[in-house]
Amino acid sequence: MDRFECWDAVEKRLNSLTSPESLSGLVFVEKVFEELGDPSRFPAIHIAGTNGKGSTAACLDSMLRAAGYKTALYTSPHLTCLGERLLIDGQMLGGEKWLDALERISVVLKKLPEVRLGYFQALTAAAFWLIEREKVDAAVIETGLGGRLDATNMLRRPLLSVITPLGMDHMHLLGNSLSEIAAEKFGIVKPGGRALYCGGEAALNEQFRRRCAEVSAVGEIFSEHCRIAGVQTSLDGNRFIYASPRGTRRCFVRLAGLHQPENASLALRALEIISDKLPCDAAAMEKGLAEVSWPGRMEVMHRNPDVILDGAHNPHGTAALIRSLKALYGDRPLSFVYTSMADKDYAASLALYARAFPQARLFCVELEGAPRCENAEILARTAAAFPWKREPLAVKDPRTALKNAMALGNPVILCGSLYFIGTVRRRIKDDGWL
């Protein structure tokens, strides 16, 4: 059995244990965790937010490993195989360990016939069970969706709850205003705990303070206590100056994208806040940021022409990607190879790209085997309503679109969906697409 067959077996077993419909609430999850002996007692940093939470989590994990801690990193979604969602000391566990964990979940569900779990709920229960058995010193746990009712919110006493930038996404589940979405994300702030919010508009900052006061948590707003300056960005990463109550330092994070200094600095401040629990010296922080990896986010796959993968899949992420591309390329002609899941606000993202890069060539594609993916013709027609200088093209096959885009000789940006990025990344690495 090759590695992908192995993970296909894990996926098949996971799907056999879960309910096809989305199940909100934690009542069933709580019953499963109780039967499992509450596998959530490990030291953890819990992260929610709309964008940047994965990069922030990766920075935290890398710095903690550089300090000598044994870590767990739980993130979602995966790009190429399910095992990427849980890394122990930076490495995937074997598929057999996942199958053992899912067998344990199966036994519990047989004892609780009234209980049904959704995909992410069962996955999280299995992941937490594995983390407990790996005896880690620290776990960095990213929410799947929202926060208050997310399965990861079974973490009852995290060392710190961190909230990254908030934007409009998953409105059908989280609410139709930033305030409603924030209420779900701030739901990871625990009674008597500690919390760090990156900061946003004044109303959101006040909402965070109210949440902390309601549960007697000690909260801090990053933007009110810390500063980032002197950012020098390139495809190799970002240099910047970070100032916090602990002092000022020059930093380098090996992640491309103009937003990464903010994510890295939020991670730095998080470690400063919990230094009484997980001491991490300046050398370890420096080493961790210099070695961090977060695939599929402003990831350079080829040079001359540059081919960049980025999972921006909502208007908030799109705006961040545009800022990064402007800093790197100015008004140079670009080519976009784009697709989107049909339930995303792709019209808003396409409008942002057209206004920022009207000279760009847009290739709209489809992701084979993904029923949620929007039709390439519909994407192209939607895009045509915006001010592109040249008509957007519908090219169903991503590889054909990539070849055509590269032939133009301009930087090529593949974006619009993390599922798409994961598929293309695998094909580039394993099937020689470039």
Side-chain angles (χ1 to χ4, degrees):
M1 182 184 296
D2 69 23
R3 62 190 177 111
F4 291 113
E5 287 176 339
C6 168
W7 292 113
D8 285 345
V10 174
E11 286 268 15
K12 185 176 180 181
R13 183 64 175 131
L14 177 61
N15 285 321
S16 75
L17 298 175
T18 61
S19 177
E21 70 265 24
S22 177
L23 300 171
S24 63
L26 297 178
V27 174
F28 286 164
V29 183
E30 286 170 347
K31 291 183 177 180
V32 170
F33 269 61
E34 185 177 342
E35 278 295 326
L36 291 172
D38 187 20
S40 63
R41 293 166 295 185
F42 44 81
I45 302 169
H46 197 193
I47 305 178
T50 303
N51 290 297
K53 57 184 185 292
S55 300
T56 303
C59 288
L60 279 165
D61 177 72
S62 187
M63 288 189 286
L64 288 167
R65 283 191 285 118
Y69 295 108
K70 182 179 181 180
T71 67
L73 175 63
Y74 182 54
T75 59
S76 61
H78 57 270
L79 291 179
T80 54
C81 73
L82 182 144
E84 297 167 354
R85 293 184 181 231
L86 176 59
L87 304 182
I88 302 296
D89 267 348
Q91 302 297 319
M92 292 193 303
L93 294 173
E96 69 283 350
K97 288 193 174 184
W98 274 100
L99 290 171
D100 287 345
L102 293 172
E103 183 57 35
R104 183 72 185 96
I105 303 300
S106 175
V107 170
V108 167
L109 291 175
K110 286 175 183 174
K111 289 180 66 176
L112 302 169
E114 79 283 5
V115 167
R116 292 173 298 125
L117 295 179
Y119 178 95
F120 186 73
Q121 293 172 335
L123 183 73
T124 299
F128 279 28
W129 189 83
L130 287 167
I131 293 170
E132 278 274 318
R133 270 141 195 79
E134 290 295 323
K135 306 275 189 243
V136 301
D137 300 311
V140 181
I141 307 293
E142 178 194 4
T143 58
L145 179 66
R148 181 176 64 92
L149 298 178
D150 190 79
T152 62
N153 212 25
M154 289 303 297
L155 289 169
R156 300 305 191 194
R157 291 174 297 279
L159 300 175
L160 183 67
S161 300
V162 179
I163 298 94
T164 67
L166 303 180
M168 301 298 287
D169 198 12
H170 301 292
M171 288 85 79
H172 61 296
L173 295 172
L174 302 180
N176 291 311
S177 69
L178 270 180
S179 176
E180 290 176 316
I181 290 171
E184 296 299 317
K185 309 286 186 178
F186 294 157
I188 70 167
V189 178
K190 302 302 190 301
R194 292 188 280 191
L196 174 65
Y197 171 43
C198 69
E201 58 187 60
L204 293 181
N205 291 351
E206 184 55 35
Q207 189 174 345
F208 173 73
R209 290 190 186 92
R210 285 199 306 271
R211 168 63 185 176
C212 291
E214 286 166 4
V215 297
S216 300
V218 178
E220 178 177 307
I221 297 174
F222 174 89
S223 60
E224 295 180 351
H225 296 270
C226 303
R227 292 288 180 269
I228 303 163
V231 175
Q232 297 175 300
T233 191
S234 75
L235 285 178
D236 297 317
N238 288 274
R239 298 189 182 280
F240 61 99
I241 298 170
Y242 165 68
S244 80
R246 298 286 182 91
T248 301
R249 69 174 77 177
R250 293 185 179 275
C251 301
F252 171 75
V253 59
R254 199 193 73 172
L255 295 174
L258 203 57
H259 50 287
Q260 293 300 354
E262 179 179 351
N263 297 329
S265 296
L266 194 65
L268 284 166
R269 185 58 186 153
L271 288 186
E272 290 176 351
I273 290 172
I274 60 171
S275 59
D276 58 325
K277 302 292 186 183
L278 291 171
C280 187
D281 64 27
M285 290 179 176
E286 180 179 339
K287 183 173 187 288
L289 291 183
E291 295 178 350
V292 65
S293 173
W294 189 230
R297 285 76 170 183
M298 283 292 289
E299 183 178 13
V300 183
M301 306 302 293
H302 188 273
R303 292 289 184 97
N304 298 316
D306 296 339
V307 175
I308 297 171
L309 304 183
D310 192 88
H313 58 276
N314 55 44
H316 194 269
T318 297
L321 174 58
I322 286 171
R323 287 193 295 272
S324 297
L325 294 175
K326 282 287 187 184
L328 289 167
Y329 298 115
D331 293 323
R332 278 184 61 188
L334 304 177
S335 295
F336 290 95
V337 178
Y338 180 88
T339 194
S340 174
M341 298 300 105
D343 58 350
K344 295 294 182 181
D345 188 6
Y346 55 79
S349 291
L350 289 168
L352 289 171
Y353 286 127
R355 292 182 190 118
F357 302 105
Q359 303 285 358
R361 203 71 167 117
L362 176 68
F363 298 84
C364 296
V365 302
E366 293 177 20
L367 186 56
E368 186 179 356
R372 285 177 53 219
C373 188
E374 187 58 277
N375 179 280
E377 294 281 355
I378 293 176
L379 289 171
R381 283 202 303 271
T382 302
F386 305 118
W388 306 93
K389 298 296 184 185
R390 290 179 289 181
E391 184 180 355
L393 299 175
V395 183
K396 287 192 175 185
D397 178 49
R399 188 176 192 184
T400 300
L402 176 58
K403 284 185 174 180
N404 291 346
M406 291 183 70
L408 297 175
N410 302 318
V412 179
I413 320 300
L414 297 106
C415 57
S417 162
L418 271 172
Y419 299 104
F420 170 57
I421 294 308
T423 300
V424 171
R425 189 174 189 273
R426 174 175 167 180
R427 296 288 172 78
I428 289 173
K429 286 187 167 293
D430 296 345
D431 300 339
W433 270 27
L434 292 181

